[in-house]
Amino acid sequence: MGNVVVIGSQWGDEGKGKIVDWLSERADVVVRFQGGHNAGHTLVVDGVSYKLSLMPSGVVRQGKLSVIGNGVVFDPHAFVAEKGRLAAQGVEISPQSLRIADNAALILSVHRELDAIRETSSTGTKIGTTGRGIGPAYEDKVGRRAIRVMDLANVDVLPERIERLLAHHNPLRRGLGQAEIDPAAILEELTSVAAEITPYIDRVWRLLDERRKAGERILFEGAQGTLLDIDHGTYPFVTSSNTVAGQAAAGSGLGPSSIGFVLGITKAYTTRVGEGPFPTEQDNEVGQFLGEAGHEFGTVTGRKRRCGWFDAVLVRQAVAVNGIHGLALTKLDVLDGLDEIKVGVGYRLDGKVIDYLPASLADQRRAEPVYETFEGWRETTRGARRWSDLPAQAIKYVRHIEELVGAPVTLLSTSPEREDTILVRDPFQD
Ligand code: IMP
């Protein structure tokens, strides 16, 4: 199969950073294909912790090409700031190691402001966004008025692009009781950063096609998770991009026949940041235990994550919509020491038991989980590197999850350390 796509099979924060880092060591090219700097991937390499938001995980390794694809919404100032933070940690990023798609849409201050205005307004639906301007930037892209990365290389076109953008935003802002934006301010925002971005701009679809033909291994690095997908997630409490594996093709310009192995990162329990339905949420001492044992705080916003039992219904659905070949199961050790462990296996709705998450928000809110209860284990699974290091009950739990969701565990992560991983199948070798 050659290439690998890594996606989150729940609401994000499944522990993608470690798995992507582990895989990026084996890859030649690492590609981001959706989202933006709303993502937060923590990598621990040789004991040093790196926090990445917009940058593909390949940047921390020598000799890898990192690519920001057209499906990403690109904040040029956030890029420069992240590049600076990485440089302070000794990671140099250059056009030799990183390329940005010419046709990616930009995130501007006007998008961040609109995100904040909506989230703090007393009317409307509060989504609990990361406040990075992601949604408003995608709106402008779909509305065909976005300023794109390529425009930074041709500042002569900017005044006309800005006029078009503000013809939409200024009336909107007036309606929201906000001051209008001066086109000169946006022009300054763009021209002040253009020279730092232009050396990285590339025709990414062609670059990836060439690398594919040369037999290089490409890793597609998904951000967020399937239940945050704009189509397949818990709408409207979702992010504004397609987070599913199919987007790896559209969001990079490499055709779907080259996508290869789909690896679904799956946490051994469930978490969610922000608002929205969460059927197996445990707003009690169990949730507190999981949150503390799992250090469940957001990398980007520092927000406390909501915690609950593993929901096999959701992950089974994620296996289907992504075409997941195998799971990377993470944070099993967080369940160590629990007397009993529950797993959601269906929902009760209007007196019937259903085996899928209904599409309507009202039904998602009413769906009551049906649980199976497992006996827990006393021993630690932390740091296990072989199946024989795991307690029998933990193996039983993993095997049952595989059966319930209909996909095998190809990789089991037992601590944040890279080596604490049980590899069943190497996704790149498939
Ligand atoms: P936005 O992507 O900032 O528009 O936020 C929309 C929703 O997606 C909110 O519930 C966020 O908490 C959630 N979200 C966005 N990025 C991430 C992520 O990387 N991990 C987990 N949740 C995320």
Side-chain angles (χ1 to χ4, degrees), residues 163-370:
E163 193 185 330
R164 211 173 131 67
L165 188 76
L166 293 184
H168 171 80
H169 280 277
N170 276 339
L172 179 63
R173 290 176 64 94
R174 278 202 301 278
L176 291 166
Q178 302 292 319
E180 288 197 13
I181 293 177
D182 179 358
I186 302 278
L187 187 63
E188 164 62 19
E189 183 181 334
L190 292 168
T191 50
S192 65
V193 81
E196 296 196 64
I197 307 298
T198 45
Y200 296 89
I201 303 178
D202 207 340
R203 209 165 285 120
V204 157
W205 63 268
R206 173 162 289 168
L207 175 71
L208 292 180
D209 191 45
E210 286 164 1
R211 297 297 176 115
R212 176 188 69 80
K213 285 179 180 148
E216 294 195 1
R217 289 167 160 187
I218 304 173
L219 174 65
F220 294 92
E221 179 179 7
Q224 292 87 47
T226 304
L227 273 306
L228 289 170
D229 181 280
I230 186 77
D231 290 298
H232 298 286
T234 44
Y235 191 90
F237 297 98
V238 291
T239 191
S240 296
S241 64
N242 282 113
T243 59
V244 292
Q247 174 64 13
S252 71
L254 193 70
S257 53
S258 303
I259 293 305
F261 192 93
V262 181
L263 184 67
I265 316 296
T266 305
K267 191 145 47 178
Y269 50 101
T270 314
T271 61
R272 151 157 230 179
V273 211
E275 311 297 318
F278 180 174
T280 61
E281 181 170 19
Q282 298 297 301
D283 193 9
N284 52 30
E285 67 287 355
V286 171
Q288 204 161 340
F289 172 87
L290 295 172
E292 278 165 22
H295 308 289
E296 297 294 353
F297 294 91
T299 322
V300 174
T301 58
R303 287 181 291 176
K304 202 166 167 212
R305 298 177 185 142
R306 299 155 62 192
C307 298
W309 295 120
F310 186 82
D311 190 334
V313 180
L314 299 184
V315 177
R316 188 165 55 230
Q317 205 155 316
V319 167
V321 299
N322 290 288
I324 290 175
H325 294 100
L327 304 176
L329 192 67
T330 63
K331 296 185 114 172
L332 184 66
D333 57 294
V334 172
L335 302 177
D336 292 352
L338 284 168
D339 290 332
E340 57 176 38
I341 300 170
K342 292 190 179 182
V343 172
V345 294
Y347 303 123
R348 195 165 283 114
L349 190 69
D350 298 327
K352 274 194 254 157
V353 174
I354 56 171
D355 64 355
Y356 59 91
L357 183 72
S360 114
L361 179 64
D363 287 348
Q364 289 172 2
R365 286 204 161 121
R366 289 191 307 126
E368 278 179 36
V370 177

Side-chain angles (χ1 to χ4, degrees), residues 101-120:
D102 51 6
N103 50 349
L106 294 182
I107 300 182
L108 307 172
S109 55
V110 59
H111 300 125
R112 278 192 302 277
E113 282 175 30
L114 188 56
D115 199 351
I117 292 164
R118 287 182 180 151
E119 286 289 298
T120 50

